[in-house]
Amino acid sequence: MRQAPLILALVSFALVLSACTRPDERMYPIGPDVRADLFIIFKTTASPEEVYKFSNETISDPKDGGSWPLPGIHEILHVYVDGREAYAVRFFPGASEDQRKYVRSRIDSSPLVFKVMENVVPSDIKKVQ
């Protein structure tokens, strides 16, 4: 019976480790040279604070003391193009059409957005027109 605490500790440790693993262990490329589902370019009048707020409240959901991407969004990457702030958004492969439309509608409703492009590689864009 002296081994009971050790066994209990090992079982607890195994449970913690299993809870910490990601459900999808595949590696995904990230960066400005990876195709984005949506590429959001902001107006030159948008301040850095407004762009940050857009990220936290328009394409993310503020809760639990943080900000979490909207359902369906896999990653959000902050980049610059032609001197403007921009975000590259990639959806999970299994994101539903409704999730994609919901994200797009929120982006389109923002007065900060200059232009939204679909299925582009951010690093390929040199000039904003």
Side-chain angles (χ1 to χ4, degrees):
M1 231 20 182
R2 287 185 278 184
Q3 293 178 347
L6 178 60
I7 292 171
L8 182 60
L10 288 174
V11 168
S12 297
F13 183 69
L15 287 173
V16 168
L17 279 180
S18 67
C20 292
T21 61
R22 298 179 306 178
D24 182 353
E25 294 294 330
R26 292 177 289 179
M27 300 292 285
Y28 292 94
I30 61 170
D33 57 339
V34 176
R35 183 169 306 280
D37 294 304
L38 299 174
F39 189 60
I40 308 157
I41 303 169
F42 294 95
K43 294 178 179 176
T44 55
T45 56
S47 71
E49 293 80 16
E50 290 173 318
V51 172
Y52 178 76
K53 187 176 178 181
F54 174 92
S55 171
N56 287 325
E57 298 177 4
T58 303
I59 55 177
S60 296
D61 185 17
K63 63 181 173 186
D64 300 330
S67 185
W68 306 97
L70 292 174
I73 294 179
H74 183 255
E75 76 181 41
I76 301 168
L77 179 67
H78 185 215
V79 296
Y80 290 87
V81 60
D82 198 17
R84 295 177 188 245
E85 290 192 77
Y87 280 116
V89 175
R90 291 179 57 204
F91 291 107
F92 283 105
S96 72
E97 192 60 32
D98 286 345
Q99 289 172 329
R100 292 169 187 262
K101 285 180 181 178
Y102 179 67
V103 171
R104 181 62 193 254
S105 72
R106 289 181 60 130
I107 293 167
D108 290 341
S109 69
S110 173
L112 300 175
V113 174
F114 172 71
K115 187 177 198 176
V116 180
M117 302 168 79
E118 294 185 10
N119 299 314
V120 298
V121 176
S123 62
D124 289 347
I125 300 166
K126 305 300 180 206
K127 286 281 189 190
V128 175
Q129 299 176 14

